[in-house]
Amino acid sequence: MNIRFTDNPPIDPVREGRDAQARRAAIQAADAIPVFEPAVTVDYRSAGRSLVVGSAAHALPLADRIAGVLPVTVLLLDSQDEFPLRPYPVHQARTVAVAGWLGAFEARWQAPGQAVGQGRFDLVLDLCPSRLIPSHQRPHGYYAPGDGEAARLAAGEAMLDMVGDFEKPKYFAYKERSCAHGRNGQKGCSACIEICSAQAIADDGDRIKVNPYLCAGCGACSTVCPTGAISYAFPPAALTGKRMQAALRCYREAGGEDPVFLLHDPEHGAELLAALGDAVPGRVIPLALQHTASTGIDVWFGAVAYGAAGIAILTTGNEAPQYLAALDQQMTIGQAVLDGLGYDGPHFQLLQAGAPEELAVALRHAPRGRVPSEPAVFHLANDKRNTLDYALEHLHRHAPLKPEAVTLPPGAPFGAVEVNRGACSLCMSCVGACPAGALQDGQGAPLLRFIEKNCVQCGLCASTCPENAISLAPRLSFAETRGQAVVLNESRPFHCIRCDKPFGTLQMVENMLGRLASHPAFSGHLDRLRMCGDCRVIDMMEPRDEMRVTSLKRS
Ligand code: SF4
Ligand code: SF4
Protein backbone atom coordinates (compact mmCIF):
# COMPACT_ATOMS: atom_id res chain seq x y z
CA MET A 1 0.00 0.00 0.00
CA ASN A 2 2.05 2.95 -1.23
CA ILE A 3 0.27 6.16 -0.44
CA ARG A 4 1.59 9.55 -1.44
CA PHE A 5 0.33 12.17 0.97
CA THR A 6 -0.52 15.55 -0.45
CA ASP A 7 -2.04 17.28 2.55
CA ASN A 8 -0.89 17.76 6.12
CA PRO A 9 -3.60 17.58 8.74
CA PRO A 10 -3.44 20.49 11.21
CA ILE A 11 -2.01 19.77 14.67
CA ASP A 12 -3.74 20.92 17.85
CA PRO A 13 -0.79 21.58 20.22
CA VAL A 14 -2.86 21.13 23.39
CA ARG A 15 -4.22 17.82 22.34
CA GLU A 16 -0.86 16.75 20.96
CA GLY A 17 0.78 17.46 24.33
CA ARG A 18 -1.90 15.51 26.21
CA ASP A 19 -1.61 12.54 23.83
CA ALA A 20 2.18 12.53 24.11
CA GLN A 21 1.94 12.44 27.90
CA ALA A 22 -0.63 9.66 27.74
CA ARG A 23 1.67 7.76 25.40
CA ARG A 24 4.45 7.83 27.97
CA ALA A 25 2.08 6.19 30.45
CA ALA A 26 1.04 3.66 27.81
CA ILE A 27 4.62 2.69 26.98
CA GLN A 28 5.43 2.30 30.67
CA ALA A 29 2.42 0.04 31.15
CA ALA A 30 3.36 -2.14 28.18
CA ASP A 31 6.97 -2.35 29.34
CA ALA A 32 5.83 -3.40 32.82
CA ILE A 33 4.50 -6.69 31.40
CA PRO A 34 7.24 -9.24 32.18
CA VAL A 35 9.55 -10.01 29.29
CA PHE A 36 8.82 -13.27 27.58
CA GLU A 37 11.37 -16.02 28.09
CA PRO A 38 11.16 -18.71 25.41
CA ALA A 39 10.49 -22.13 26.89
CA VAL A 40 11.95 -24.08 23.98
CA THR A 41 15.19 -23.30 22.20
CA VAL A 42 16.90 -24.53 19.05
CA ASP A 43 20.58 -25.37 19.43
CA TYR A 44 23.42 -25.13 16.93
CA ARG A 45 27.00 -26.33 17.26
CA SER A 46 29.76 -25.01 15.03
CA ALA A 47 33.38 -26.13 14.91
CA GLY A 48 34.09 -23.41 12.35
CA ARG A 49 34.66 -25.68 9.31
CA SER A 50 34.29 -23.07 6.59
CA LEU A 51 33.51 -23.29 2.91
CA VAL A 52 34.38 -20.34 0.68
CA VAL A 53 32.93 -20.33 -2.85
CA GLY A 54 33.69 -17.77 -5.53
CA SER A 55 36.19 -16.48 -8.03
CA ALA A 56 39.90 -16.83 -7.24
CA ALA A 57 40.27 -13.06 -6.97
CA HIS A 58 37.60 -12.81 -4.26
CA ALA A 59 37.73 -16.18 -2.53
CA LEU A 60 41.45 -16.75 -2.00
CA PRO A 61 42.33 -13.55 -0.10
CA LEU A 62 39.39 -14.09 2.27
CA ALA A 63 40.15 -17.78 2.64
CA ASP A 64 43.75 -16.88 3.52
CA ARG A 65 42.44 -14.65 6.30
CA ILE A 66 39.92 -17.21 7.60
CA ALA A 67 42.44 -20.06 7.41
CA GLY A 68 44.52 -18.35 10.07
CA VAL A 69 41.71 -19.10 12.56
CA LEU A 70 39.35 -21.73 11.14
CA PRO A 71 39.66 -24.83 8.95
CA VAL A 72 38.70 -23.74 5.44
CA THR A 73 37.95 -25.30 2.05
CA VAL A 74 37.70 -23.25 -1.15
CA LEU A 75 35.71 -23.90 -4.32
CA LEU A 76 36.94 -21.80 -7.23
CA LEU A 77 34.40 -21.14 -9.93
CA ASP A 78 36.60 -19.48 -12.52
CA SER A 79 40.33 -19.89 -12.49
CA GLN A 80 42.13 -22.69 -14.21
CA ASP A 81 45.39 -20.77 -13.79
CA GLU A 82 48.11 -21.67 -11.43
CA PHE A 83 48.08 -20.00 -8.06
CA PRO A 84 50.44 -20.38 -5.13
CA LEU A 85 49.83 -23.58 -3.20
CA ARG A 86 47.57 -23.02 -0.19
CA PRO A 87 47.73 -24.80 3.18
CA TYR A 88 44.02 -25.70 2.80
CA PRO A 89 42.03 -27.62 0.16
CA VAL A 90 41.22 -25.69 -3.01
CA HIS A 91 38.98 -27.33 -5.64
CA GLN A 92 37.83 -26.23 -9.05
CA ALA A 93 34.06 -26.37 -9.47
CA ARG A 94 31.73 -25.65 -12.35
CA THR A 95 28.55 -26.40 -10.42
CA VAL A 96 28.01 -26.05 -6.68
CA ALA A 97 24.96 -26.84 -4.54
CA VAL A 98 24.75 -25.93 -0.86
CA ALA A 99 21.98 -26.54 1.66
CA GLY A 100 21.74 -26.52 5.44
CA TRP A 101 22.34 -24.20 8.35
CA LEU A 102 24.92 -23.25 10.93
CA GLY A 103 26.85 -26.38 11.88
CA ALA A 104 25.09 -28.54 9.28
CA PHE A 105 25.76 -27.40 5.73
CA GLU A 106 26.14 -29.97 2.99
CA ALA A 107 27.86 -29.05 -0.25
CA ARG A 108 28.26 -30.90 -3.54
CA TRP A 109 30.36 -29.68 -6.43
CA GLN A 110 31.69 -30.87 -9.73
CA ALA A 111 34.29 -29.76 -12.25
CA PRO A 112 34.29 -30.93 -15.88
CA GLY A 113 35.68 -34.43 -16.18
CA GLN A 114 35.96 -34.92 -12.43
CA ALA A 115 34.02 -36.93 -9.89
CA VAL A 116 31.40 -35.20 -7.73
CA GLY A 117 32.96 -33.75 -4.61
CA GLN A 118 31.07 -33.27 -1.37
CA GLY A 119 31.61 -32.13 2.16
CA ARG A 120 29.99 -31.01 5.40
CA PHE A 121 30.67 -27.55 6.74
CA ASP A 122 29.65 -25.37 9.66
CA LEU A 123 29.87 -22.05 7.81
CA VAL A 124 29.56 -20.96 4.20
CA LEU A 125 30.91 -17.80 2.60
CA ASP A 126 29.16 -17.45 -0.75
CA LEU A 127 30.95 -15.02 -3.10
CA CYS A 128 29.15 -16.22 -6.24
CA PRO A 129 27.49 -13.73 -8.62
CA SER A 130 24.09 -15.25 -7.76
CA ARG A 131 23.49 -16.78 -4.36
CA LEU A 132 23.73 -20.52 -3.84
CA ILE A 133 20.90 -20.34 -1.29
CA PRO A 134 18.37 -17.98 -2.85
CA SER A 135 15.81 -17.68 -0.02
CA HIS A 136 15.14 -14.10 1.10
CA GLN A 137 15.87 -15.07 4.68
CA ARG A 138 19.29 -16.65 4.85
CA PRO A 139 20.11 -19.53 7.18
CA HIS A 140 22.33 -18.85 10.15
CA GLY A 141 25.96 -19.49 9.28
CA TYR A 142 25.48 -18.58 5.60
CA TYR A 143 27.18 -15.38 4.43
CA ALA A 144 26.48 -13.91 1.01
CA PRO A 145 27.78 -10.35 1.18
CA GLY A 146 27.32 -9.42 -2.48
CA ASP A 147 29.66 -7.30 -4.58
CA GLY A 148 31.16 -4.71 -2.25
CA GLU A 149 34.66 -5.35 -0.94
CA ALA A 150 33.89 -3.89 2.48
CA ALA A 151 30.88 -6.20 2.85
CA ARG A 152 32.98 -9.20 1.82
CA LEU A 153 35.63 -8.37 4.39
CA ALA A 154 32.99 -7.82 7.09
CA ALA A 155 31.41 -11.20 6.32
CA GLY A 156 34.78 -12.93 6.56
CA GLU A 157 35.45 -11.27 9.92
CA ALA A 158 31.98 -12.18 11.23
CA MET A 159 32.60 -15.84 10.44
CA LEU A 160 35.61 -15.93 12.74
CA ASP A 161 33.30 -15.53 15.76
CA MET A 162 30.96 -18.32 14.74
CA VAL A 163 32.53 -21.16 16.66
CA GLY A 164 30.91 -22.82 19.65
CA ASP A 165 27.36 -23.54 20.83
CA PHE A 166 24.53 -21.21 19.86
CA GLU A 167 20.84 -21.15 20.60
CA LYS A 168 17.76 -19.28 19.52
CA PRO A 169 14.12 -19.49 20.55
CA LYS A 170 11.81 -21.90 18.83
CA TYR A 171 9.63 -19.27 17.26
CA PHE A 172 6.57 -21.30 16.36
CA ALA A 173 4.17 -23.88 17.70
CA TYR A 174 2.41 -26.30 15.36
CA LYS A 175 -0.82 -28.11 16.16
CA GLU A 176 -1.01 -30.82 13.57
CA ARG A 177 -4.61 -31.65 14.48
CA SER A 178 -5.90 -28.25 13.32
CA CYS A 179 -3.86 -28.06 10.12
CA ALA A 180 -5.83 -27.85 6.88
CA HIS A 181 -2.94 -28.71 4.57
CA GLY A 182 -4.39 -31.96 3.31
CA ARG A 183 -6.65 -34.91 3.82
CA ASN A 184 -6.36 -38.30 2.19
CA GLY A 185 -3.82 -37.01 -0.31
CA GLN A 186 -5.90 -33.98 -1.40
CA LYS A 187 -4.17 -30.64 -0.88
CA GLY A 188 -5.96 -27.79 0.84
CA CYS A 189 -4.16 -24.90 2.50
CA SER A 190 -0.49 -24.24 1.73
CA ALA A 191 -0.44 -20.65 2.92
CA CYS A 192 2.47 -21.08 5.32
CA ILE A 193 4.61 -22.98 2.81
CA GLU A 194 4.06 -20.34 0.17
CA ILE A 195 4.85 -17.38 2.38
CA CYS A 196 7.89 -18.59 4.30
CA SER A 197 10.89 -16.55 3.15
CA ALA A 198 13.36 -18.94 4.78
CA GLN A 199 12.03 -22.00 2.93
CA ALA A 200 11.69 -23.57 6.35
CA ILE A 201 8.23 -25.07 5.79
CA ALA A 202 7.60 -28.05 3.57
CA ASP A 203 4.83 -30.38 2.55
CA ASP A 204 4.70 -33.56 4.64
CA GLY A 205 1.80 -35.53 3.22
CA ASP A 206 -1.40 -34.32 4.83
CA ARG A 207 0.61 -32.12 7.19
CA ILE A 208 3.38 -29.59 6.98
CA LYS A 209 6.75 -29.74 8.67
CA VAL A 210 8.76 -26.80 9.88
CA ASN A 211 12.52 -26.96 10.05
CA PRO A 212 13.29 -25.08 13.29
CA TYR A 213 16.93 -24.57 12.25
CA LEU A 214 15.90 -22.65 9.13
CA CYS A 215 12.96 -20.83 10.74
CA ALA A 216 14.02 -17.22 11.18
CA GLY A 217 11.14 -16.19 13.40
CA CYS A 218 9.31 -13.77 11.12
CA GLY A 219 5.94 -15.29 12.03
CA ALA A 220 4.33 -14.60 8.66
CA CYS A 221 3.16 -18.23 8.60
CA SER A 222 1.00 -17.62 11.66
CA THR A 223 -0.35 -14.41 10.14
CA VAL A 224 -1.68 -16.20 7.06
CA CYS A 225 -2.66 -19.48 8.74
CA PRO A 226 -6.47 -19.64 8.60
CA THR A 227 -6.83 -22.21 11.37
CA GLY A 228 -4.22 -21.17 13.89
CA ALA A 229 -2.51 -24.54 13.48
CA ILE A 230 0.78 -22.71 13.28
CA SER A 231 1.14 -19.95 15.83
CA TYR A 232 3.83 -17.51 16.78
CA ALA A 233 5.56 -18.26 20.05
CA PHE A 234 8.00 -15.39 20.45
CA PRO A 235 6.06 -13.81 21.99
CA PRO A 236 2.73 -15.61 21.83
CA ALA A 237 -0.32 -13.58 20.80
CA ALA A 238 -1.66 -13.61 24.36
CA LEU A 239 1.35 -11.65 25.60
CA THR A 240 1.19 -9.11 22.77
CA GLY A 241 -2.49 -8.70 23.63
CA LYS A 242 -1.66 -8.11 27.29
CA ARG A 243 0.81 -5.38 26.40
CA MET A 244 -1.70 -3.73 24.09
CA GLN A 245 -4.50 -3.91 26.62
CA ALA A 246 -2.35 -2.45 29.41
CA ALA A 247 -1.03 0.32 27.15
CA LEU A 248 -4.50 1.36 25.98
CA ARG A 249 -5.94 1.35 29.48
CA CYS A 250 -3.25 3.73 30.73
CA TYR A 251 -3.42 5.86 27.60
CA ARG A 252 -7.15 6.37 28.07
CA GLU A 253 -6.83 7.03 31.81
CA ALA A 254 -4.21 9.69 31.06
CA GLY A 255 -6.65 11.48 28.75
CA GLY A 256 -5.19 10.39 25.40
CA GLU A 257 -7.42 10.05 22.34
CA ASP A 258 -7.45 8.01 19.12
CA PRO A 259 -4.50 5.76 19.99
CA VAL A 260 -2.72 3.96 17.17
CA PHE A 261 -0.26 1.14 17.63
CA LEU A 262 2.82 1.41 15.48
CA LEU A 263 4.24 -2.10 15.20
CA HIS A 264 7.91 -2.03 14.30
CA ASP A 265 10.95 -4.27 14.38
CA PRO A 266 13.60 -3.77 17.06
CA GLU A 267 16.33 -2.85 14.58
CA HIS A 268 15.69 -0.75 11.46
CA GLY A 269 12.22 0.34 12.57
CA ALA A 270 13.45 1.24 16.04
CA GLU A 271 16.30 3.27 14.51
CA LEU A 272 13.89 5.26 12.37
CA LEU A 273 11.69 5.98 15.38
CA ALA A 274 14.67 6.99 17.49
CA ALA A 275 15.74 9.38 14.74
CA LEU A 276 12.26 10.93 14.75
CA GLY A 277 12.21 11.34 18.52
CA ASP A 278 9.47 13.70 19.71
CA ALA A 279 8.25 14.23 16.16
CA VAL A 280 6.28 10.97 16.47
CA PRO A 281 2.66 12.12 16.95
CA GLY A 282 1.47 11.78 20.55
CA ARG A 283 -1.31 9.35 19.75
CA VAL A 284 1.08 6.89 18.05
CA ILE A 285 2.20 4.19 20.49
CA PRO A 286 5.25 2.28 19.21
CA LEU A 287 5.32 -1.42 20.02
CA ALA A 288 8.38 -3.46 19.07
CA LEU A 289 7.87 -6.97 17.74
CA GLN A 290 10.50 -9.51 16.84
CA HIS A 291 9.20 -9.19 13.28
CA THR A 292 6.54 -6.93 11.80
CA ALA A 293 4.98 -9.78 9.80
CA SER A 294 4.15 -11.73 12.94
CA THR A 295 0.72 -10.33 13.79
CA GLY A 296 -2.52 -10.67 11.88
CA ILE A 297 -6.22 -10.03 12.12
CA ASP A 298 -6.65 -11.85 15.44
CA VAL A 299 -4.29 -9.46 17.25
CA TRP A 300 -5.47 -6.43 15.26
CA PHE A 301 -9.17 -7.06 15.90
CA GLY A 302 -8.28 -7.58 19.54
CA ALA A 303 -6.54 -4.19 19.60
CA VAL A 304 -9.51 -2.44 17.98
CA ALA A 305 -11.84 -4.18 20.44
CA TYR A 306 -9.64 -2.80 23.25
CA GLY A 307 -10.06 0.68 21.79
CA ALA A 308 -7.20 1.19 19.31
CA ALA A 309 -8.22 3.57 16.55
CA GLY A 310 -5.70 1.95 14.26
CA ILE A 311 -2.81 -0.38 13.66
CA ALA A 312 0.12 0.86 11.61
CA ILE A 313 2.88 -1.52 10.61
CA LEU A 314 6.25 -0.05 9.83
CA THR A 315 8.22 -1.83 7.14
CA THR A 316 11.66 -0.65 6.16
CA GLY A 317 12.46 -2.38 2.88
CA ASN A 318 14.17 -5.35 4.52
CA GLU A 319 11.09 -7.57 4.50
CA ALA A 320 10.39 -10.26 1.92
CA PRO A 321 8.01 -8.89 -0.76
CA GLN A 322 5.48 -11.63 -0.06
CA TYR A 323 5.19 -10.42 3.54
CA LEU A 324 4.08 -6.99 2.40
CA ALA A 325 1.52 -8.55 0.07
CA ALA A 326 0.23 -10.79 2.88
CA LEU A 327 -0.05 -7.93 5.37
CA ASP A 328 -1.85 -5.88 2.76
CA GLN A 329 -4.27 -8.73 2.11
CA GLN A 330 -4.91 -9.28 5.83
CA MET A 331 -5.54 -5.54 6.25
CA THR A 332 -8.00 -5.63 3.35
CA ILE A 333 -9.87 -8.49 5.01
CA GLY A 334 -9.78 -6.75 8.39
CA GLN A 335 -11.04 -3.47 6.96
CA ALA A 336 -13.84 -5.24 5.06
CA VAL A 337 -15.08 -6.68 8.37
CA LEU A 338 -14.88 -3.34 10.21
CA ASP A 339 -16.50 -1.46 7.31
CA GLY A 340 -19.28 -4.03 7.23
CA LEU A 341 -19.94 -3.44 10.92
CA GLY A 342 -20.08 0.31 10.38
CA TYR A 343 -16.81 1.21 12.07
CA ASP A 344 -15.66 4.05 9.84
CA GLY A 345 -12.05 3.60 8.89
CA PRO A 346 -9.44 3.20 7.80
CA HIS A 347 -8.05 1.32 10.77
CA PHE A 348 -4.96 -0.13 9.14
CA GLN A 349 -1.86 1.35 7.58
CA LEU A 350 1.06 -0.49 6.04
CA LEU A 351 3.95 1.95 6.11
CA GLN A 352 7.06 1.68 4.01
CA ALA A 353 9.69 4.13 5.14
CA GLY A 354 13.41 4.21 4.54
CA ALA A 355 14.11 7.59 6.15
CA PRO A 356 12.82 9.45 9.23
CA GLU A 357 11.29 12.23 7.09
CA GLU A 358 9.18 9.72 5.16
CA LEU A 359 8.01 8.18 8.40
CA ALA A 360 7.17 11.58 9.88
CA VAL A 361 4.89 12.44 6.95
CA ALA A 362 3.21 9.02 6.98
CA LEU A 363 2.55 9.12 10.73
CA ARG A 364 0.69 12.40 10.43
CA HIS A 365 -1.80 10.34 8.44
CA ALA A 366 -1.92 7.46 10.92
CA PRO A 367 -5.32 5.76 10.91
CA ARG A 368 -8.10 7.14 13.06
CA GLY A 369 -10.84 4.55 12.82
CA ARG A 370 -14.02 4.33 14.83
CA VAL A 371 -13.88 2.03 17.87
CA PRO A 372 -16.48 0.14 19.93
CA SER A 373 -18.36 2.24 22.47
CA GLU A 374 -16.88 0.09 25.26
CA PRO A 375 -13.37 -1.35 25.37
CA ALA A 376 -13.26 -5.12 25.56
CA VAL A 377 -12.02 -6.86 28.69
CA PHE A 378 -11.33 -10.33 27.30
CA HIS A 379 -7.73 -11.53 26.96
CA LEU A 380 -6.21 -12.55 23.67
CA ALA A 381 -5.69 -16.30 23.46
CA ASN A 382 -2.78 -18.06 21.84
CA ASP A 383 -5.38 -19.91 19.78
CA LYS A 384 -6.14 -17.66 16.82
CA ARG A 385 -9.70 -18.83 16.22
CA ASN A 386 -10.60 -18.34 19.88
CA THR A 387 -9.28 -14.79 19.82
CA LEU A 388 -11.16 -14.10 16.60
CA ASP A 389 -14.37 -15.39 18.17
CA TYR A 390 -14.01 -13.16 21.22
CA ALA A 391 -12.93 -10.09 19.28
CA LEU A 392 -15.60 -10.38 16.59
CA GLU A 393 -18.29 -11.01 19.15
CA HIS A 394 -17.30 -7.82 20.98
CA LEU A 395 -16.97 -5.78 17.80
CA HIS A 396 -20.37 -6.97 16.61
CA ARG A 397 -22.08 -6.35 19.96
CA HIS A 398 -20.99 -2.69 19.96
CA ALA A 399 -21.13 -2.13 16.21
CA PRO A 400 -22.96 0.79 14.61
CA LEU A 401 -24.38 -1.66 12.04
CA LYS A 402 -25.68 -5.18 12.64
CA PRO A 403 -25.45 -7.01 9.32
CA GLU A 404 -26.37 -10.69 9.13
CA ALA A 405 -23.17 -11.25 7.16
CA VAL A 406 -20.28 -9.31 5.65
CA THR A 407 -18.98 -10.38 2.25
CA LEU A 408 -15.22 -10.84 2.29
CA PRO A 409 -12.54 -11.02 -0.40
CA PRO A 410 -11.17 -14.41 -1.54
CA GLY A 411 -8.57 -15.76 0.85
CA ALA A 412 -10.51 -14.72 3.95
CA PRO A 413 -10.49 -17.39 6.67
CA PHE A 414 -14.26 -17.21 7.23
CA GLY A 415 -17.09 -18.22 5.00
CA ALA A 416 -19.76 -20.58 3.88
CA VAL A 417 -19.74 -23.42 1.41
CA GLU A 418 -22.41 -23.64 -1.23
CA VAL A 419 -23.61 -27.03 -2.34
CA ASN A 420 -25.21 -27.68 -5.70
CA ARG A 421 -28.00 -29.96 -4.54
CA GLY A 422 -28.62 -31.26 -8.03
CA ALA A 423 -25.06 -32.55 -8.25
CA CYS A 424 -24.41 -33.58 -4.62
CA SER A 425 -24.90 -37.32 -4.11
CA LEU A 426 -24.46 -37.11 -0.32
CA CYS A 427 -21.46 -39.42 -0.53
CA MET A 428 -20.00 -37.59 2.51
CA SER A 429 -16.46 -37.44 1.07
CA CYS A 430 -16.37 -33.77 2.05
CA VAL A 431 -17.20 -34.61 5.67
CA GLY A 432 -14.16 -36.89 5.86
CA ALA A 433 -12.00 -34.20 4.24
CA CYS A 434 -13.01 -31.23 6.39
CA PRO A 435 -10.24 -30.56 8.94
CA ALA A 436 -12.29 -28.07 10.92
CA GLY A 437 -15.39 -30.06 11.81
CA ALA A 438 -17.44 -27.64 9.72
CA LEU A 439 -19.10 -30.33 7.62
CA GLN A 440 -21.00 -33.08 9.37
CA ASP A 441 -23.02 -36.05 8.27
CA GLY A 442 -26.52 -36.88 9.43
CA GLN A 443 -25.40 -39.68 11.77
CA GLY A 444 -27.21 -42.33 9.78
CA ALA A 445 -29.65 -40.06 7.96
CA PRO A 446 -28.72 -39.00 4.40
CA LEU A 447 -28.07 -35.34 5.06
CA LEU A 448 -25.10 -32.98 4.98
CA ARG A 449 -24.79 -30.35 7.69
CA PHE A 450 -22.55 -27.32 8.03
CA ILE A 451 -21.37 -25.19 10.96
CA GLU A 452 -20.26 -21.93 9.40
CA LYS A 453 -18.32 -20.71 12.44
CA ASN A 454 -15.88 -23.62 12.06
CA CYS A 455 -15.17 -23.18 8.36
CA VAL A 456 -11.70 -21.85 7.54
CA GLN A 457 -12.24 -21.79 3.75
CA CYS A 458 -9.41 -24.22 3.08
CA GLY A 459 -11.20 -25.66 0.06
CA LEU A 460 -10.49 -29.30 0.92
CA CYS A 461 -14.17 -30.15 0.66
CA ALA A 462 -14.40 -28.62 -2.82
CA SER A 463 -11.28 -30.38 -4.10
CA THR A 464 -12.40 -33.70 -2.58
CA CYS A 465 -15.99 -33.65 -3.85
CA PRO A 466 -16.26 -36.17 -6.71
CA GLU A 467 -19.30 -34.36 -8.12
CA ASN A 468 -17.76 -30.85 -8.14
CA ALA A 469 -20.78 -29.78 -6.17
CA ILE A 470 -19.08 -27.47 -3.64
CA SER A 471 -17.97 -23.87 -3.97
CA LEU A 472 -16.62 -21.47 -1.36
CA ALA A 473 -18.32 -18.23 -0.35
CA PRO A 474 -15.97 -16.09 1.78
CA ARG A 475 -17.97 -14.02 4.22
CA LEU A 476 -18.36 -13.41 7.92
CA SER A 477 -21.72 -14.44 9.26
CA PHE A 478 -23.15 -12.87 12.39
CA ALA A 479 -26.39 -14.83 12.16
CA GLU A 480 -27.41 -16.78 15.23
CA THR A 481 -27.14 -19.93 13.18
CA ARG A 482 -23.41 -19.48 12.52
CA GLY A 483 -22.55 -21.81 15.38
CA GLN A 484 -25.31 -24.28 14.58
CA ALA A 485 -25.37 -27.24 12.23
CA VAL A 486 -27.57 -26.23 9.30
CA VAL A 487 -28.64 -28.70 6.64
CA LEU A 488 -26.97 -28.08 3.28
CA ASN A 489 -28.49 -31.04 1.49
CA GLU A 490 -30.67 -34.02 2.25
CA SER A 491 -32.26 -36.78 0.31
CA ARG A 492 -34.67 -39.65 0.69
CA PRO A 493 -32.86 -42.85 1.61
CA PHE A 494 -32.76 -45.54 -1.07
CA HIS A 495 -33.82 -49.01 0.03
CA CYS A 496 -32.17 -52.17 -1.23
CA ILE A 497 -34.47 -53.78 -3.78
CA ARG A 498 -33.66 -57.20 -2.36
CA CYS A 499 -33.70 -56.84 1.46
CA ASP A 500 -35.28 -53.38 1.77
CA LYS A 501 -32.46 -52.08 3.99
CA PRO A 502 -31.69 -48.33 3.47
CA PHE A 503 -28.14 -48.07 2.09
CA GLY A 504 -27.73 -44.76 0.27
CA THR A 505 -29.69 -42.03 -1.38
CA LEU A 506 -31.78 -41.98 -4.50
CA GLN A 507 -29.38 -39.44 -6.01
CA MET A 508 -26.35 -41.59 -5.26
CA VAL A 509 -27.91 -44.68 -6.85
CA GLU A 510 -29.01 -42.72 -9.90
CA ASN A 511 -25.50 -41.30 -10.30
CA MET A 512 -24.05 -44.83 -10.08
CA LEU A 513 -26.51 -46.14 -12.62
CA GLY A 514 -25.65 -43.29 -14.98
CA ARG A 515 -21.92 -43.90 -14.67
CA LEU A 516 -21.75 -47.69 -14.55
CA ALA A 517 -24.57 -48.66 -16.91
CA SER A 518 -22.11 -49.56 -19.65
CA HIS A 519 -19.52 -51.13 -17.34
CA PRO A 520 -18.93 -54.80 -18.30
CA ALA A 521 -19.06 -55.90 -14.64
CA PHE A 522 -22.70 -54.85 -14.48
CA SER A 523 -23.72 -55.91 -17.97
CA GLY A 524 -27.03 -57.71 -17.57
CA HIS A 525 -26.91 -57.15 -13.79
CA LEU A 526 -27.68 -53.48 -13.49
CA ASP A 527 -30.09 -54.21 -10.66
CA ARG A 528 -27.12 -55.06 -8.46
CA LEU A 529 -26.46 -51.33 -8.25
CA ARG A 530 -29.83 -51.03 -6.54
CA MET A 531 -28.80 -53.55 -3.89
CA CYS A 532 -26.94 -53.03 -0.64
CA GLY A 533 -23.39 -54.39 -0.40
CA ASP A 534 -24.42 -57.67 1.25
CA CYS A 535 -27.17 -58.45 -1.21
CA ARG A 536 -24.92 -57.57 -4.14
CA VAL A 537 -22.42 -60.24 -3.00
CA ILE A 538 -25.16 -62.82 -2.42
CA ASP A 539 -26.60 -62.07 -5.84
CA MET A 540 -23.22 -62.57 -7.47
CA MET A 541 -22.67 -65.90 -5.70
CA GLU A 542 -26.07 -67.32 -6.52
CA PRO A 543 -26.01 -70.00 -9.28
CA ARG A 544 -28.08 -68.76 -12.20
CA ASP A 545 -28.77 -72.12 -13.87
CA GLU A 546 -30.26 -73.91 -10.86
CA MET A 547 -33.82 -73.82 -9.80
CA ARG A 548 -34.33 -71.28 -7.05
CA VAL A 549 -35.97 -72.60 -3.89
CA THR A 550 -38.00 -69.97 -2.16
CA SER A 551 -39.76 -70.67 1.09
CA LEU A 552 -43.40 -69.89 0.82
CA LYS A 553 -45.20 -68.47 3.76
CA ARG A 554 -48.17 -70.50 4.90
CA SER A 555 -51.35 -68.54 4.80
S1 SF4 B 1 -3.55 -24.62 8.09
FE1 SF4 B 1 -1.89 -23.30 8.85
S2 SF4 B 1 -0.22 -24.74 9.37
FE2 SF4 B 1 -1.66 -25.86 8.04
S3 SF4 B 1 -0.90 -25.56 5.93
FE3 SF4 B 1 -2.38 -23.91 6.30
S4 SF4 B 1 -1.13 -22.20 7.04
FE4 SF4 B 1 0.14 -24.06 7.24
S1 SF4 C 1 -16.17 -26.81 5.02
FE1 SF4 C 1 -14.68 -25.13 5.19
S2 SF4 C 1 -13.12 -25.91 6.60
FE2 SF4 C 1 -14.29 -27.69 5.93
S3 SF4 C 1 -13.15 -28.49 4.15
FE3 SF4 C 1 -14.70 -27.06 3.33
S4 SF4 C 1 -13.67 -25.08 3.19
FE4 SF4 C 1 -12.38 -26.39 4.55
Side-chain angles (χ1 to χ4, degrees), residues 523-543:
S523 164
H525 304 288
L526 217 49
D527 264 354
R528 283 183 186 153
L529 292 172
R530 298 188 177 92
M531 294 177 193
C532 68
D534 292 345
C535 290
R536 200 175 300 158
V537 173
I538 294 169
D539 192 67
M540 285 162 65
M541 305 306 286
E542 264 178 358

Side-chain angles (χ1 to χ4, degrees), residues 417 430 433-439 450 454-462 472:
V417 296
C430 56
C434 178
L439 285 167
F450 177 64
N454 292 354
C455 178
V456 297
Q457 296 283 290
C458 66
L460 270 167
C461 51
L472 304 182

Side-chain angles (χ1 to χ4, degrees), residues 174-176 178-182 188-193 201 206-208 210 221-222 224-231 456 458:
Y174 176 55
K175 266 188 300 178
E176 190 178 302
S178 316
C179 179
H181 180 54
C189 171
S190 290
C192 57
I193 297 176
I201 310 182
D206 283 352
R207 303 284 177 262
I208 55 121
V210 187
C221 52
S222 65
V224 297
C225 178
T227 63
I230 195 158
S231 58
V456 297
C458 66

